[in-house]
Amino acid sequence: MNKTTVLKFGGSSVSTIEKIKSISTSLKDRVEKGEKLIVVVSAMGKTTDSLLNQVNQITSNPDVRELDTLLAIGEQTTISLMAITLNDIGVKSRSLTGLQAGIKTFGQHTKSKIADIDSIFLKNELNEFDVLVVAGFQGYNENLEITTLGRGGSDTSAVALAASLNAPCEIYTDVTGVFSTDPRIFPNAKKLEQVSYEEMLELSALGAGVLETRCVEIAKNYNVPLYLGKTLSEEKGTWIMESSNLLEKKIVTGAALDKDILHVTLSCKDCSTMFVKDLFDKLDEFGVNIDMISQVISNNIINISFTCKDTDRNFLNRSLENLSTSYPNIDCSIDSSCCKVSIVGSGMRDVSGVAARAFRTLCKNGIEFLQVTTSEISISFALKKDDGKEAIRLLCLEFNI
Amino acid sequence: MNKTTVLKFGGSSVSTIEKIKSISTSLKDRVEKGEKLIVVVSAMGKTTDSLLNQVNQITSNPDVRELDTLLAIGEQTTISLMAITLNDIGVKSRSLTGLQAGIKTFGQHTKSKIADIDSIFLKNELNEFDVLVVAGFQGYNENLEITTLGRGGSDTSAVALAASLNAPCEIYTDVTGVFSTDPRIFPNAKKLEQVSYEEMLELSALGAGVLETRCVEIAKNYNVPLYLGKTLSEEKGTWIMESSNLLEKKIVTGAALDKDILHVTLSCKDCSTMFVKDLFDKLDEFGVNIDMISQVISNNIINISFTCKDTDRNFLNRSLENLSTSYPNIDCSIDSSCCKVSIVGSGMRDVSGVAARAFRTLCKNGIEFLQVTTSEISISFALKKDDGKEAIRLLCLEFNI
């Protein structure tokens, strides 16, 4: 069997018939060189927005099952138009909706998760066809209902297909690859040729935002070589792969800035550590995603700091109110003037003193931090919002990224 | 179980969100009165045209499998928007694509035929939901491919669903019902309260065009009471039903004019009747739909006349060329200056002299006819195109329709 590759093209890459034609021509070249391709596509341009706009004319609270059925037509349009184009230029091609591709999902409508993919069917289809064009973002559930996968859904579809076929996955977007940090924050940011799954996961989770965490997680779990590049560009993009396959491990690979966080500090006098358990139970119950947890006990006072997304503010308030019924004597402060700056690198595992260098860099330049947390391959600082951009610049220069 | 009714709304009836809302409100009324409804909808307004326009930017000869996948999204959009609307106003509702409704088809893409419908599934769904909104015009085949049903496809879906559920079927369009003849030809045309399947079939086949023949055929075969009325109008429409159920059988119910026909005459000297067999074999082989066949043998010459649709002209020419290799000595004339005028009525069966009255009416007014054919419930005349409108007027006045 010929080499099989999964490619994914985002909405702006397929926003016009002309773009679909150009991509189809480039796919033909690859087929003629002997590759079998699975091409995952998103809805054309602003299709999803315009569908949602129609829904908003009806209700602000649509039935989610029906919303999924509606949203799925965006991708169905793209797959059929691309398959028509490919067949027209002589490429044996077939379109597959999520259901036809056997992308079985579970969980709630509008944010379903992939349970299984019918890889035997897909392999058979690849014997007969050179390009299968698969609708991203969608699948079906056990009731034969159409489901969608939520944010970053098409990337997830692509990586899951690649995992099921043991193939590499190339994701094409508007950007030329993964950068050491956001070039809008630090214009000298460098494009990375390679980055490990772990680093990419940290960067994604920390807000670097090129790829959703879940798609990188699947790639990591199934060891899918992942490529991120610019659509129809000659410029080389970034390979995301197993850390052990990286040619050169940098100490620090990237830096990320997350401006939209809340820094929360709680103090509880004469509390047992049961308080800590109850706190995190409540936060979990209300769906608050927390990060950067630090705990210090002094003079019989438990002090806890953590950060969470600004978007979780309502859930945070409700969970703390709920908690105060059991712990009336807690002190609580919520600071929204903070940001989070992180540096990431698998090389940190083997090299000591990275934290010290980072501390020194910030202190020397008068940047104070409220809190620090570290993982095996990352260090995160909570800082004043105003200092975020300068901290990124200083850290990039210090670690030459 | 409550009474179940199938309703169908055409594209112009659901062309805007406002119209979908109005229809949904009217459905709610019926549900509150105790009905269970299956609502079949077409694509909104000009959606199908705009999809085809995108295809035309790619190719004039698209892969038909992919075309079906594309065209099906028009109806999928309508069903989800309508189900969102219904649920929003408190009607328990669910959308079903052709596949989800179990509308299994066979035959070629873009003109598939319905093989089977999963009525057990639909009945179960109706236990749980008050309105099922089903995508018209589409189904699926044994390979789980999306198929479409061709011209009049949504009407066919609706009648087939009604047949499978033993329910009546109401078809809502822009017109208020079935008229005795096209009011653009004869302004005094009368709206019929009732018409038999056979009459409707003849009128459809003869070009009256409110409903496609195939949908009336299914209604007749499964004895589905069929109603044709105007969307959201209080005005009464037309019931199409078993002839024996009609309250009053008129002698003549309607008149139809088909302007786009060819009148073909062939003469073959010293031919055996094998010639006739070979002629119709060839016409069938090339897919020419023929009508109004007359044969006269005189002086050892077989003379045959028939009519066919002007749109079949290329196939007609090819089949006659093909025939002339075996019969080099046939004379052939093809006259495109003709039209066909027909009168239809189940009462003709029991009343003699209808043909004579019709002949008299035309002759008295100087209208010559090239050919006449009769069926049990219709009489058709081939006339000069210029006489068509006047012939309709005279016959309508004569038979008071």
Side-chain angles (χ1 to χ4, degrees):
Chain A
M1 174 105 171
N2 308 40
K3 183 194 172 199
T4 299
T5 307
V6 177
L7 291 82
K8 183 259 172 176
F9 294 93
S12 60
S13 302
V14 293
S15 59
T16 64
I17 298 288
E18 281 317 308
K19 288 183 180 181
I20 290 176
K21 282 184 183 173
S22 303
I23 289 172
S24 298
T25 307
S26 76
L27 298 175
K28 186 180 185 178
D29 287 349
R30 292 181 66 158
V31 166
E32 284 172 351
K33 286 176 186 143
E35 270 183 282
K36 293 278 186 177
L37 303 176
I38 291 195
V39 179
V40 177
V41 288
S42 300
M44 290 169 78
K46 302 283 177 204
T47 309
T48 308
D49 290 347
S50 100
L51 291 171
L52 287 173
N53 181 40
Q54 287 191 294
V55 173
N56 285 335
Q57 291 174 48
I58 301 171
T59 174
S60 56
N61 187 27
D63 181 292
V64 288
R65 176 197 186 273
E66 302 305 335
L67 192 60
D68 273 359
T69 302
L70 182 69
L71 293 180
I73 73 161
E75 282 72 21
Q76 190 170 326
T77 309
T78 322
I79 57 170
S80 42
L81 289 173
M82 188 173 273
I84 286 172
T85 309
L86 286 164
N87 282 306
D88 192 56
I89 61 173
V91 179
K92 284 190 77 178
S93 167
R94 174 157 283 190
S95 77
L96 298 170
T97 63
L99 184 145
Q100 289 170 333
I103 300 178
K104 196 165 184 184
T105 66
F106 66 99
Q108 293 169 42
H109 277 289
T110 75
K111 44 185 176 181
S112 290
K113 293 180 191 306
I114 296 177
D116 193 25
I117 289 180
D118 189 347
S119 59
I120 294 169
F121 166 76
L122 291 172
K123 282 175 190 162
N124 281 338
E125 290 286 283
L126 283 174
N127 283 331
E128 201 179 335
F129 298 95
D130 291 323
V131 180
L132 301 178
V133 189
V134 178
F137 180 64
Q138 61 177 253
Y140 71 105
N141 66 17
E142 55 187 356
N143 300 321
L144 275 191
E145 290 169 323
I146 297 170
T147 56
T148 66
L149 305 176
R151 269 176 72 95
S154 288
D155 291 348
T156 305
S157 305
V159 175
L161 284 162
S164 79
L165 293 164
N166 210 8
C169 180
E170 305 175 8
I171 293 184
Y172 292 98
T173 69
D174 292 342
V175 298
T176 50
V178 181
F179 281 77
S180 57
T181 196
D182 187 337
R184 286 169 301 185
I185 296 170
F186 179 58
N188 289 332
K190 297 188 181 70
K191 191 175 64 198
L192 306 172
E193 274 184 45
Q194 299 180 326
V195 60
S196 73
Y197 296 127
E198 293 91 340
E199 289 168 332
M200 194 66 214
L201 273 176
E202 290 276 356
L203 287 170
S204 292
L206 295 169
V210 211
L211 288 172
E212 288 289 315
T213 315
R214 63 196 286 211
C215 116
V216 184
E217 254 166 13
I218 300 173
K220 177 173 181 296
N221 290 342
Y222 292 89
N223 204 4
V224 175
L226 197 58
Y227 175 85
L228 188 82
K230 188 168 176 172
T231 307
L232 295 176
S233 164
E234 294 290 314
E235 205 180 323
K236 271 192 184 158
T238 303
W239 276 103
I240 303 153
M241 55 175 70
E242 192 65 73
S243 155
S244 59
N245 293 337
L246 294 184
L247 289 174
E248 184 198 4
K249 272 175 237 180
K250 289 185 182 175
I251 301 171
V252 175
T253 314
L257 170 64
D258 189 349
K259 278 183 288 194
D260 302 315
I261 65 160
L262 299 175
H263 185 252
V264 184
T265 305
L266 298 171
S267 306
C268 190
K269 195 170 159 61
D270 300 325
C271 286
S272 74
T273 48
M274 187 58 79
F275 165 67
V276 180
K277 180 200 149 292
D278 289 345
L279 167 65
F280 291 115
D281 277 354
K282 277 288 166 236
L283 291 168
D284 184 46
E285 185 184 325
F286 284 86
V288 181
N289 255 316
I290 52 171
D291 189 17
M292 293 194 73
I293 305 162
S294 297
Q295 178 186 314
V296 178
I297 302 176
S298 67
N299 299 326
N300 232 16
I301 300 174
I302 297 186
N303 300 288
I304 289 186
S305 284
F306 59 87
T307 62
C308 71
K309 295 250 172 228
D310 195 26
T311 47
D312 279 346
R313 187 190 288 251
N314 286 335
F315 300 118
L316 174 71
N317 287 334
R318 277 157 63 189
S319 54
L320 293 179
E321 276 166 29
N322 209 286
L323 186 76
S324 64
T325 56
S326 318
Y327 297 93
N329 57 336
I330 48 174
D331 269 350
C332 173
S333 77
I334 300 177
D335 182 355
S336 60
S337 70
C338 287
C339 68
K340 184 173 66 176
V341 163
S342 310
I343 51 174
V344 174
S346 11
M348 284 189 202
R349 276 206 191 90
D350 313 316
V351 178
S352 58
V354 177
R357 265 174 82 184
F359 291 160
R360 213 180 302 135
T361 304
L362 295 180
C363 290
K364 205 168 61 184
N365 291 278
I367 294 179
E368 289 179 6
F369 41 90
L370 303 169
Q371 202 187 338
V372 186
T373 51
T374 57
S375 83
E376 254 194 297
I377 63 160
S378 74
I379 304 170
S380 293
F381 301 90
L383 313 169
K384 288 280 152 207
K385 258 194 181 59
D386 293 344
D387 288 334
K389 204 168 159 178
E390 177 64 3
I392 289 282
R393 194 184 72 84
L394 292 167
L395 291 167
C396 285
L397 291 174
E398 172 64 25
F399 291 101
N400 189 30
I401 57 173
Chain B
M1 173 109 171
N2 308 40
K3 182 193 173 199
T4 299
T5 306
V6 177
L7 291 81
K8 183 256 172 178
F9 294 93
S12 60
S13 303
V14 292
S15 60
T16 64
I17 297 288
E18 281 317 309
K19 288 184 180 180
I20 290 176
K21 283 184 185 172
S22 304
I23 289 173
S24 299
T25 307
S26 76
L27 298 176
K28 186 179 185 179
D29 286 349
R30 292 182 64 159
V31 166
E32 285 173 350
K33 287 177 188 145
E35 269 184 283
K36 294 275 186 176
L37 303 176
I38 292 196
V39 179
V40 177
V41 287
S42 300
M44 290 169 77
K46 301 286 177 200
T47 310
T48 308
D49 289 348
S50 100
L51 292 171
L52 287 174
N53 180 39
Q54 288 191 293
V55 173
N56 285 335
Q57 292 175 48
I58 301 171
T59 175
S60 56
N61 187 26
D63 183 293
V64 289
R65 177 196 185 275
E66 302 305 335
L67 192 59
D68 273 358
T69 302
L70 182 69
L71 293 181
I73 72 163
E75 282 73 20
Q76 192 170 324
T77 309
T78 322
I79 56 168
S80 41
L81 289 173
M82 188 174 273
I84 286 171
T85 309
L86 286 166
N87 282 305
D88 192 56
I89 60 172
V91 179
K92 284 191 75 178
S93 167
R94 173 156 283 189
S95 77
L96 298 170
T97 63
L99 185 144
Q100 289 170 334
I103 300 178
K104 196 165 183 184
T105 66
F106 66 100
Q108 293 170 43
H109 278 288
T110 74
K111 45 184 173 182
S112 290
K113 292 179 191 308
I114 296 176
D116 194 25
I117 289 180
D118 190 346
S119 58
I120 294 169
F121 166 77
L122 291 172
K123 281 175 191 162
N124 281 337
E125 291 286 282
L126 283 175
N127 282 331
E128 199 176 338
F129 299 95
D130 290 324
V131 180
L132 301 178
V133 189
V134 178
F137 180 64
Q138 61 177 252
Y140 72 106
N141 64 19
E142 55 186 355
N143 300 320
L144 275 191
E145 292 168 322
I146 297 169
T147 56
T148 65
L149 304 177
R151 271 177 70 95
S154 289
D155 290 347
T156 305
S157 305
V159 176
L161 283 161
S164 79
L165 293 164
N166 210 6
C169 179
E170 304 175 8
I171 294 184
Y172 292 97
T173 70
D174 293 342
V175 297
T176 48
V178 180
F179 281 78
S180 57
T181 196
D182 187 339
R184 286 168 302 185
I185 296 169
F186 180 59
N188 288 332
K190 298 188 179 71
K191 192 173 64 193
L192 306 172
E193 273 185 44
Q194 299 180 326
V195 59
S196 73
Y197 296 128
E198 293 91 340
E199 288 167 332
M200 195 65 211
L201 273 177
E202 290 277 354
L203 287 169
S204 293
L206 295 169
V210 212
L211 289 171
E212 288 290 315
T213 315
R214 62 196 286 210
C215 115
V216 185
E217 253 165 15
I218 300 173
K220 177 174 182 292
N221 290 341
Y222 292 90
N223 206 1
V224 175
L226 198 59
Y227 175 85
L228 189 81
K230 189 169 178 171
T231 307
L232 295 174
S233 164
E234 295 290 317
E235 205 179 323
K236 271 193 185 160
T238 303
W239 276 102
I240 303 153
M241 55 175 71
E242 192 69 69
S243 153
S244 58
N245 293 338
L246 294 185
L247 289 176
E248 183 198 7
K249 271 174 238 181
K250 287 187 185 174
I251 301 173
V252 175
T253 314
L257 170 63
D258 190 349
K259 277 184 288 191
D260 302 316
I261 65 159
L262 299 175
H263 185 251
V264 185
T265 305
L266 297 172
S267 307
C268 191
K269 198 172 156 59
D270 299 325
C271 287
S272 74
T273 48
M274 187 58 79
F275 165 69
V276 180
K277 179 196 150 290
D278 289 346
L279 167 65
F280 290 115
D281 276 356
K282 278 289 164 233
L283 291 168
D284 184 48
E285 186 184 326
F286 285 85
V288 182
N289 256 314
I290 52 171
D291 189 18
M292 292 194 75
I293 305 163
S294 297
Q295 180 187 315
V296 178
I297 302 174
S298 67
N299 299 324
N300 232 17
I301 300 173
I302 297 185
N303 300 288
I304 290 185
S305 284
F306 59 86
T307 61
C308 70
K309 294 249 172 225
D310 195 25
T311 46
D312 280 347
R313 188 191 289 252
N314 286 335
F315 300 120
L316 173 71
N317 286 334
R318 278 157 63 190
S319 54
L320 293 180
E321 277 164 28
N322 208 285
L323 186 76
S324 64
T325 56
S326 319
Y327 297 93
N329 57 337
I330 48 172
D331 270 352
C332 173
S333 77
I334 300 178
D335 183 357
S336 60
S337 70
C338 288
C339 69
K340 186 173 65 178
V341 164
S342 312
I343 51 175
V344 174
S346 13
M348 284 189 203
R349 275 204 192 93
D350 313 316
V351 178
S352 56
V354 177
R357 264 175 83 184
F359 292 160
R360 211 180 304 133
T361 304
L362 295 180
C363 289
K364 203 168 62 184
N365 291 279
I367 293 178
E368 291 178 7
F369 42 90
L370 304 167
Q371 204 186 336
V372 186
T373 52
T374 57
S375 81
E376 256 195 295
I377 63 160
S378 74
I379 306 170
S380 294
F381 300 90
L383 313 169
K384 287 283 152 204
K385 257 193 181 61
D386 293 344
D387 288 335
K389 203 169 159 178
E390 176 63 5
I392 290 282
R393 195 185 70 84
L394 292 168
L395 291 167
C396 285
L397 291 174
E398 173 65 25
F399 292 102
N400 190 29
I401 58 173

